[in-house]
Amino acid sequence: MGLSFPAVQAIVGLWKDKHFEGKKKVLEIGSQELHLTFDDFKNLMESYGVDGFQEKNFEEWGWEDRGKCYFAERLYSLLGFEDYACFDMNGDNKAIAHDLNFPFMDDSHWGQYDLVTDFGCAEHIFNVSEVYRTMHQVCRPGGIFIHCQQMFNTNGYYLFEPSFYEDIAAANGYEILFSSFIVTAHSSIKESGKYSWLLPMSSELIEIMDWTKISSIGLLYAMKKTKDADFQLPYQGSYMSTMYGNLGYDIASLSTYRRPTRTYVPVFERKDDISSREFKRVCRSYFKKKLGLR
């Protein structure tokens, strides 16, 4: 498992936008490596103005021998994180050896981490919902999740699609800071910087691509945990409004392009089910009234 060029680009972009200010502890799902060339990594650090990057600290970068690639801990350290932890059954990189199919019962880790990431691990866990419950438990209120999974051409058990993450956010009150497709046309690590991209989440964009030239399509979501509460399982369709008082992905799906930052707003004044069109009408009426436009 590893952080590709677009994944590193997204992480450094969140740092550049000051989402990591004051955040010191990171936990990864899976002991992650950096899956990009040293030159691409160097260019990203210099382009984004990452403080403290010194080429001499990475002189032993050896992608010809994959076993020598640096663990992602080096990246997080550059971005200001002081404490690093990860889950991995193999115990690599001082990992917490835990089987993520089962609940993580060591409550000394609950609510302790400012950033919790998953770059391609959850798809390999059969009991996938338990992974997201564990991530929720170990993240503190105000902390950030980064989820990155495959939408097309996985090597795990599952393929993911936007409604999965949108509805997790809706059910748990997460603020979505950023979302993007990751499109890869060449699976080689050496070509990661040339043939993989962060692209807007537009369904039309995906539909017009030549899929015969695409190696994989992934999803990347960055979310903020806004409250201290137990993890809530999402529901599709009308059950979401019945259980949690909001319409979840029904609202996001009205637009073919999911905007970078958003929060699902609960519907407090309606007891019955409400259509997406009616919800938009109610919102327009509410804001016009607040702005004194009528």
Side-chain angles (χ1 to χ4, degrees):
M1 294 170 292
L3 279 60
S4 64
F5 179 89
V8 175
Q9 186 179 24
I11 292 170
V12 181
L14 290 166
W15 170 83
K16 189 71 172 179
D17 290 340
K18 302 186 184 303
H19 289 298
F20 296 160
E21 283 192 346
K23 293 177 168 51
K24 300 299 182 183
K25 299 183 69 173
V26 56
L27 183 146
E28 294 197 293
I29 304 297
S31 177
Q32 300 290 347
E33 302 166 343
L34 298 176
H35 283 190
L36 68 168
T37 67
F38 172 72
D39 287 341
D40 286 338
F41 183 80
K42 175 184 175 182
N43 289 338
L44 281 175
M45 297 303 105
E46 293 178 347
S47 297
Y48 281 86
V50 176
D51 299 328
F53 172 71
Q54 297 184 39
E55 187 170 345
K56 66 180 182 180
N57 294 331
F58 295 88
E59 289 178 350
E60 295 181 2
W61 194 291
W63 282 112
E64 300 303 323
D65 177 3
R66 190 168 173 176
K68 293 183 180 179
C69 57
Y70 282 104
F71 288 102
E73 181 178 3
R74 292 273 184 111
L75 168 62
Y76 296 115
S77 178
L78 282 174
L79 302 182
F81 289 92
E82 298 174 355
D83 295 315
Y84 175 88
C86 61
F87 285 116
D88 205 306
M89 289 181 67
N90 62 22
D92 284 351
N93 199 23
K94 302 177 184 178
I96 301 167
H98 170 67
D99 185 345
L100 288 163
N101 279 298
F102 300 99
F104 182 60
M105 303 305 295
D106 185 351
D107 59 8
S108 67
H109 290 272
W110 294 2
Q112 296 301 304
Y113 296 94
D114 301 299
L115 175 64
V116 182
T117 75
D118 171 28
F119 289 95
C121 184
E123 64 189 27
H124 302 289
I125 311 301
F126 192 82
N127 189 9
V128 68
S129 65
E130 194 60 45
V131 179
Y132 294 95
R133 186 188 305 277
T134 296
M135 293 182 71
H136 180 91
Q137 285 177 324
V138 299
C139 187
R140 71 168 182 83
I144 293 173
F145 306 102
I146 302 179
H147 302 288
C148 186
Q149 291 291 340
Q150 294 299 90
M151 182 178 175
F152 164 68
N153 196 19
T154 183
N155 64 346
Y157 282 121
Y158 301 103
L159 291 170
F160 294 78
E161 65 106 40
S163 67
F164 181 85
Y165 290 110
E166 299 281 343
D167 279 353
I168 285 179
N172 290 281
Y174 299 158
E175 179 185 356
I176 300 175
L177 304 175
F178 177 79
S179 60
S180 175
F181 290 124
I182 293 182
V183 177
T184 302
H186 199 301
S187 59
S188 168
I189 289 174
K190 293 181 180 180
E191 302 295 336
S192 176
K194 294 180 181 178
Y195 297 106
S196 55
W197 308 272
L198 289 172
L199 295 180
M201 292 198 81
S202 166
S203 57
E204 279 87 353
L205 185 61
I206 293 296
E207 289 169 1
I208 65 173
M209 288 181 181
D210 183 350
W211 284 51
T212 65
K213 298 180 179 178
I214 293 174
S215 173
S216 65
I217 300 175
L219 298 172
L220 189 145
Y221 272 82
M223 309 177 183
K224 179 186 287 186
K225 183 177 179 179
T226 60
K227 57 187 176 182
D228 187 10
D230 291 338
F231 181 72
Q232 303 298 317
L233 295 173
Y235 293 83
Q236 285 192 314
S238 62
Y239 288 105
M240 182 67 82
S241 59
T242 301
M243 297 298 295
Y244 301 123
N246 67 60
L247 294 176
Y249 187 63
D250 282 352
I251 292 298
S253 62
L254 292 176
S255 171
T256 57
Y257 174 64
R258 258 69 73 192
R259 292 170 177 81
T261 303
R262 57 202 175 275
T263 301
Y264 287 98
V265 180
V267 182
F268 290 111
E269 299 179 1
R270 295 292 296 246
K271 299 295 183 182
D272 55 323
D273 191 19
I274 180 172
S275 69
S276 299
R277 180 175 294 181
E278 175 66 8
F279 180 75
K280 290 177 69 177
R281 187 195 66 77
V282 170
C283 288
R284 283 196 297 268
S285 176
Y286 173 81
F287 287 115
K288 283 183 179 180
K289 182 177 179 181
K290 286 294 183 181
L291 293 172
L293 299 178
R294 68 174 187 180

